[in-house]
Amino acid sequence: MKLSQGVEWGVHCAVALAQTAPGVSVSRRTLAERYALSEAYLAKHLKAMVSAGLLYAMTGPNGGFRLTRPPEQITVLDVVEAVEGGGPQFVCQEIRQRGTAALSPEHCLERCGVAIAMDEAKEAWRSSLSATTIADLVARLPAAARGRLGT
Amino acid sequence: MKLSQGVEWGVHCAVALAQTAPGVSVSRRTLAERYALSEAYLAKHLKAMVSAGLLYAMTGPNGGFRLTRPPEQITVLDVVEAVEGGGPQFVCQEIRQRGTAALSPEHCLERCGVAIAMDEAKEAWRSSLSATTIADLVARLPAAARGRLGT
DNA sequence: GCACATCTACTCGGATAGAGAATGTCCGAGTCTCTGGGG
DNA sequence: CCCCAGAGACTCGGACATTCTCTATCCGAGTAGATGTGC
């Protein structure tokens, strides 16, 4: 149960983009320098966020990335699932139906209790991440850290 | 955010061990055949559970594994963290202190908002997993599936 | 019949390969802007 | 003075290495029980 490092990058970049004027794009180079990240690798994560519909990408001079929605409408969960891929966390292999004491399928109409517990936990995790939006994170920044993204 | 496959194995094995008479050990071979798992690989996870203090291992004939505590006192979270290693899910790299608009350390006495959101989410996940014990999972099994672990 | 030494068979544990994903990097395709010339 | 064509520079996107974790496997160390022998 480990979270990819790119998640941190993605959320911070979303926070940075939320502090720009509407309609202004920020290049990945500026974002990378803002946090001293590898520009080439950051590109990978930004692309994932574009594919997920969180960012809009524009090429050419004065191009770059900008949010597709107001930061109040983007949750941390959105970013995490965009970067991580959002696939299922736990894949139940139904091992209860295998082996010497395998259960017959009619006994398995209900889902495996293990899978239920795992899914409930993941749902609690997702729910917690949904409770925080990018706008919330901006509001929690120290005053000295707001609006510091160089033009 | 993916969960190791061995977690499923570990939980199911714990459920199986919970259905044995107290003081009786079950060999890893029996457990592997019970669910048609790879015996050699299962050994790795069982060993992890022994190191975590969930299982007690005994060698020699009629040896094997048994639970160190009653199943009511073993939560799913215990098993998950035993198998997965329980390390931190999200490692904040404090990238807010790096780059062109780095924050000075005195602005970072409070934790990074991103890390806080991640930790809260993980705590919600852990709390959900703690709510279910191995005994609960045994109780939820179909009647036909209980006590079917061959001696 | 009983006690003891030995021996066997069974158990777990650590060390060792292979596959897949995450990480990190590079170069090419596309497009907006700026510049220079002509009308 | 205005318009247009071209060049240039800047941007993102996809294809290519490298490292690390998870998966999978094997063989050796140790121990409890069974066995055979002597008293």
Side-chain angles (χ1 to χ4, degrees):
Chain A
M1 164 76 177
K2 207 186 56 172
L3 219 53
S4 157
Q5 168 201 52
V7 168
E8 181 179 8
W9 297 16
V11 178
H12 275 283
C13 285
V15 171
L17 289 174
Q19 297 178 70
T20 61
V24 173
S25 296
V26 182
S27 75
R28 75 184 180 198
R29 175 172 196 141
T30 305
L31 282 172
E33 288 175 348
R34 167 69 181 80
Y35 295 113
L37 305 177
S38 156
E39 180 187 343
Y41 189 29
L42 178 62
K44 201 162 197 142
H45 299 310
L46 291 175
K47 171 177 134 47
M49 292 169 75
V50 171
S51 300
L54 294 182
L55 301 184
Y56 185 76
M58 209 163 190
T59 141
N62 291 338
F65 298 91
R66 60 182 174 82
L67 300 178
T68 56
R69 285 178 269 162
E72 296 84 13
Q73 297 178 19
I74 301 179
T75 68
V76 177
L77 177 64
D78 292 330
V79 180
V80 170
E81 295 198 328
V83 175
E84 286 270 313
Q89 162 219 23
F90 179 80
V91 185
C92 182
Q93 301 187 325
E94 287 288 339
I95 66 176
R96 61 181 176 167
Q97 297 189 34
R98 295 156 46 185
T100 55
L103 292 179
S104 56
E106 56 258 33
H107 284 125
C108 298
L109 296 179
E110 296 186 9
R111 295 200 56 209
C112 170
V114 179
I116 292 175
M118 293 297 174
D119 287 350
E120 283 178 356
K122 185 185 180 183
E123 213 43 53
W125 178 78
R126 284 166 45 90
S127 173
S128 175
L129 286 182
S130 298
T132 305
T133 68
I134 300 301
D136 293 334
L137 293 179
V138 173
R140 285 182 206 164
L141 286 177
R146 239 166 289 168
R148 282 235 255 153
L149 187 67
T151 42
Chain B
M1 166 75 177
K2 209 187 54 174
L3 219 53
S4 157
Q5 168 200 53
V7 168
E8 182 178 8
W9 298 15
V11 177
H12 275 284
C13 286
V15 170
L17 289 174
Q19 299 178 69
T20 62
V24 173
S25 296
V26 181
S27 76
R28 75 185 181 196
R29 174 171 198 139
T30 304
L31 283 172
E33 289 175 347
R34 167 69 181 79
Y35 295 112
L37 306 177
S38 154
E39 179 185 345
Y41 189 30
L42 178 62
K44 199 160 198 146
H45 300 309
L46 291 174
K47 171 178 134 45
M49 292 170 75
V50 170
S51 300
L54 294 182
L55 300 185
Y56 186 74
M58 208 163 190
T59 140
N62 291 338
F65 298 91
R66 59 182 175 83
L67 299 178
T68 57
R69 286 177 269 162
E72 295 84 14
Q73 296 177 22
I74 300 181
T75 68
V76 176
L77 177 64
D78 292 331
V79 180
V80 170
E81 293 197 330
V83 175
E84 285 270 312
Q89 162 219 25
F90 179 80
V91 184
C92 182
Q93 300 187 325
E94 286 290 337
I95 66 175
R96 60 182 177 166
Q97 296 189 36
R98 296 157 45 186
T100 55
L103 293 179
S104 57
E106 56 258 31
H107 283 125
C108 299
L109 297 179
E110 296 186 7
R111 295 199 58 208
C112 171
V114 179
I116 292 175
M118 293 295 174
D119 287 350
E120 284 177 355
K122 184 183 181 182
E123 213 42 53
W125 178 78
R126 285 168 42 90
S127 173
S128 175
L129 286 182
S130 298
T132 305
T133 67
I134 299 301
D136 294 333
L137 292 180
V138 173
R140 286 183 206 163
L141 285 177
R146 238 165 290 168
R148 283 235 253 152
L149 188 69
T151 41

